[in-house]
Amino acid sequence: MKSVKSLLSSAVLKEGLKYIEKEPMKNLPKLLNWADKLASKDYHKNIINHLKNICNKEDNNWNIFIKRFFKELNPNVRNKAVTNFFLNSAILGLPIRDKKKQEYNCNVPWAILMDPTSACNLNCTGCWASEYGQHASLDNDQIDKIITEGKELGIYMYIFSGGEPLVRKDDLIKIAQKHDDCMFLAFTNATLIDENFAKELAEVGNFALAISVEGFEEETDMRRGKGTYQKVMAAMDLLKKEGILFGFSTCYHSKNTEVIGSDEYVDFLIDKGCMFGWYFTYIPIGKDASINLLATPDQREYMYHKVRKMRQEKPIFMLDFWNDGEYVNGCIAGGRIYLHINANGDVEPCAFIHYSNVNIKNVSLIEALRSPLFLQYKENQPFNKNHLRPCPLLDNPDKLKEMVEKSSAYSTQPIDKESVNDLTDKCQDISKKWADTAKELYNKDS
């Protein structure tokens, strides 16, 4: 049951949204002035002041982004994003999470990433899901239990990956309907999106999509199969028509970095309707994974500069999972900001770290957060004083090896059971090369 404070905040926010929508850029500053008087935490006051500055600069890219938010999104989608993402997850959930961290002496995340299924309709080069079995899944009751326990800890953000999560799209819509106070996001290849599903997303409102795309047609089809790019573009058109909140998710590697970091690529995806862009770099997971796809230090530095430049110029919210470590004080995994639960139920610190001590089918969520490997993460984070080297695998491989061994964690990969020694050995060379580049960048920006 929602608290009185939560209900009051939701009611006030809904009235505020109605007021803004009449004339967004005229009324938003007035609402921010009102919110500034009510804000009690410096963190929230800083955000409000930042938004005030944006509203006062007509040609600012963030000003244009806010206009896009109110113009392009379905009203129900827009309202759920503000209520569930900003109010419930970022504001009301924060003190609950902080209290639980103190109570249980462990990390409590902002978001939970889980795989409803290991099944996928594609066979992408370099993706571990394509090498694994297609039969593991979390049933609706298990997903519901995770979310119910998560909300008790102040967690209102839930992300689906896989496999291809939209293999279970009917189930996921039901989950989003039941937990209409939460925000949901699915990483998807977009090939299963049709007009009916786009309309369902508009109706439910609290379900966004991060669409995997590897560049333009040549780069995308190279990893994902011929014809995939055109299906992705058609899906984006359907989503934009219905006013759905979506963005792009791009893996950069040695073969596509210069393309996916280009202005042409990002401008094109903004025009297609993307509200956010989320960059990841290739990780060689699995015994047969190619290390030739690892981005070079020069390519990673290129992305470091490009994403920061685009944040000052493009009307889109941009993230770089590795290179943004300096903004979040290093690694965000291990329950510090997020954790991962695979389709078999194994609770892992990260989507890219396939080791665990517990299975969610046998323990509660808080028990999983207090498991040995997760406590190792809490004890050792950040893994490097240079936050441009945040990752315990890609940037500090000896640290991951140490934590897995100390916690006696097991490999959760269903086929190859890759040892932590084999995995980290593949990253030793690239981590040392990036360390030199990261040191120069860190000293330059300090």
Side-chain angles (χ1 to χ4, degrees), residues 274-338:
C274 290
M275 288 286 175
F276 61 88
W278 206 335
Y279 286 110
F280 299 85
T281 193
Y282 172 78
I283 302 293
I285 297 173
K287 287 184 177 179
D288 296 326
S290 171
I291 62 172
N292 293 327
L293 286 175
L294 280 165
T296 66
D298 285 346
Q299 289 173 322
R300 187 165 167 182
E301 181 182 2
Y302 168 82
M303 291 302 298
Y304 172 90
H305 293 300
K306 287 294 295 188
V307 170
R308 280 154 181 74
K309 185 173 185 288
M310 286 190 283
R311 285 195 184 115
Q312 303 301 316
E313 300 175 350
K314 310 291 185 187
I316 185 172
F317 185 72
M318 305 284 284
L319 293 160
D320 186 326
F321 193 74
W322 273 264
N323 285 341
D324 283 345
E326 62 182 330
Y327 299 120
V328 290
N329 298 319
C331 173
I332 66 173
R336 183 170 164 260
I337 294 180
Y338 99 108

Side-chain angles (χ1 to χ4, degrees), residues 184-204:
F184 296 90
L185 171 75
F187 285 102
T188 174
N189 62 42
T191 60
L192 299 178
I193 295 171
D194 54 23
E195 186 174 1
N196 182 62
F197 182 61
K199 290 183 181 299
E200 287 182 318
L201 290 173
E203 184 176 348
V204 74

Side-chain angles (χ1 to χ4, degrees), residues 16 20 41 48 57 160-161 164 175 216 236 251 256 299 328 431:
I20 294 174
K41 292 184 178 293
I48 291 168
K57 298 177 181 178
F160 300 121
S161 58
E164 168 50 52
I175 291 290
F216 294 108
M236 286 186 176
C251 174
N256 73 341
Q299 289 173 322
V328 290
S431 71

Side-chain angles (χ1 to χ4, degrees), residues 9-22 31:
S9 299
S10 297
V12 171
L13 186 62
K14 287 178 181 178
E15 289 304 311
L17 284 170
K18 290 179 183 177
Y19 175 66
I20 294 174
E21 285 176 355
K22 296 174 183 177
L31 191 67

